[in-house]
Amino acid sequence: MLSPAPPPADSGTFSLSTPPLFAALAPARTVLIAGAGGGFDVYAGLPLAVALWDAGVRVHLANLSFSELVEIGRESWVDEHVVEVTPETASSDWYFPEGTLARWLAANDLPSTVYAFPPLGVQLLRDAYRYLVERLDIDAVVLVDGGTDILLRGDESNLGTPVEDITSLAAVAGLDLPVKLVSSLGFGIDAYDGVNHAEVLENLAALDREGGYLGALSVPNASREAALYRDAVANAQAATPARPSIVHGQIAAATGGAFGDVQFTRRTTGSPLFVNPLMAIYFTVDLDKLAARCLYRDRIENTLGRRQVTTRIEAFRAGVSPRIPRAFPH
């Protein structure tokens, strides 16, 4: 039987009465919340951002983008790989979550700039993050993931869609900052990409033994954070009817108490959903400790482009013996 590791030396800073996520961010002056996996991932950070804004914390938003950022005028490019998206930023691309979010933020009297990164390899994405850290005087970064595949280390039975998540993880791991966290929202959603969530829980337990797990925190149904998040997701669905976010549609439903096969888009027709309260919980970990557990991080460290990351992960997986998946015993 595996004996538990002793608590980390600084565990006195955490207590049941103060969520460790907020205790870890308490010393920060300026926080960057960034979507790790592309698309609508930045929306996973909205409840957290609203809570911090309401507490008077300076918060900026960023996202690894799947939009055709080349369609945006050069005046919006504040660095070689960073676009400053505001409510006025125009793009001919119909799929533009960052622009949709910026306009929704402005309509709700919230800070309305969303920084966007194109899909890159680790080195160039790190340069983009470093630019924002210096420009905005950032001292804490929270990578947010809609789903849980960012928590996988590489030997699981299936990795889901790891390329963007792990590129973001590795990029930020190379930055020298006082606070670096990863928070995932949407537990169970990645099952539709083959992820075994018993393995996710196993990884969280391993991080806990190493002092890297900051616990779980629900987004309460009746909270201002949940209400604004649901409104933002509904707004995004209306703005992108051909490709609404399957991930955030489920999370939003879960924050409102929905359960079971809650269908909201034709994209999931024929695929039974299992919306449930676990999807409305933030699972937060120490970013550096998570990155240290990634078995292929060294292989992607020196990449410049997204395709390099993809091929190197594929090569790693070709030589690994995956864990045998197991079902929840209850």
Side-chain angles (χ1 to χ4, degrees), residues 59-196:
V59 178
H60 298 277
L61 299 176
N63 197 45
L64 187 63
S65 181
F66 287 162
S67 300
E68 293 293 338
L69 297 180
V70 295
E71 301 295 330
I72 296 174
R74 293 308 302 179
E75 68 278 1
S76 296
W77 290 76
V78 293
D79 194 57
E80 183 178 4
H81 299 298
V82 182
V83 179
E84 184 180 57
V85 180
T86 70
E88 293 75 35
T89 302
S91 173
S92 60
D93 188 359
W94 63 270
Y95 182 81
F96 191 23
E98 296 82 13
T100 300
L101 178 57
R103 291 187 291 274
W104 178 87
L105 289 165
N108 286 273
D109 297 321
L110 295 168
S112 57
T113 296
V114 182
Y115 294 93
F117 312 122
L120 300 164
V122 172
Q123 291 294 315
L124 295 182
L125 185 57
R126 183 176 296 150
D127 288 344
Y129 269 102
R130 186 175 289 117
Y131 170 83
L132 275 190
V133 166
E134 294 173 357
R135 174 188 172 102
L136 304 174
D137 195 24
I138 300 296
D139 55 2
V141 172
V142 183
L143 284 184
V144 289
D145 179 28
T148 53
D149 48 5
I150 197 171
L151 301 175
L152 305 180
R153 69 177 198 161
D155 64 347
E156 292 82 5
S157 52
N158 193 301
L159 300 188
T161 55
V163 174
E164 288 78 19
D165 288 325
I166 304 303
T167 299
S168 298
L169 176 67
V172 176
L175 299 178
D176 184 15
L177 286 170
V179 180
K180 292 180 286 184
L181 305 175
V182 170
S183 200
S184 71
L185 186 68
F187 185 90
I189 285 174
D190 293 319
Y192 302 99
D193 286 316
V195 171
N196 180 284

Side-chain angles (χ1 to χ4, degrees), residues 249-274:
Q250 292 179 81
I251 298 171
T255 67
F259 183 83
D261 189 12
V262 181
Q263 295 288 334
F264 54 88
T265 172
R266 287 176 293 180
R267 294 182 67 199
T268 58
T269 299
S271 298
L273 304 180
F274 184 55

Side-chain angles (χ1 to χ4, degrees), residues 2-75:
L2 187 64
S3 59
D10 63 350
S11 63
T13 63
F14 297 152
S15 73
L16 187 62
S17 62
T18 302
L21 168 57
F22 287 93
L25 291 174
R29 301 182 309 274
T30 309
V31 179
L32 178 66
I33 298 177
F40 288 94
D41 250 15
V42 65
Y43 279 71
L46 268 183
L48 176 59
V50 170
L52 292 172
W53 279 324
D54 287 352
V57 179
R58 291 194 299 272
V59 178
H60 298 277
L61 299 176
N63 197 45
L64 187 63
S65 181
F66 287 162
S67 300
E68 293 293 338
L69 297 180
V70 295
E71 301 295 330
I72 296 174
R74 293 308 302 179
E75 68 278 1

Side-chain angles (χ1 to χ4, degrees), residues 236-256:
Q237 290 173 337
T240 318
R243 194 179 168 189
S245 173
I246 295 172
V247 169
H248 288 287
Q250 292 179 81
I251 298 171
T255 67

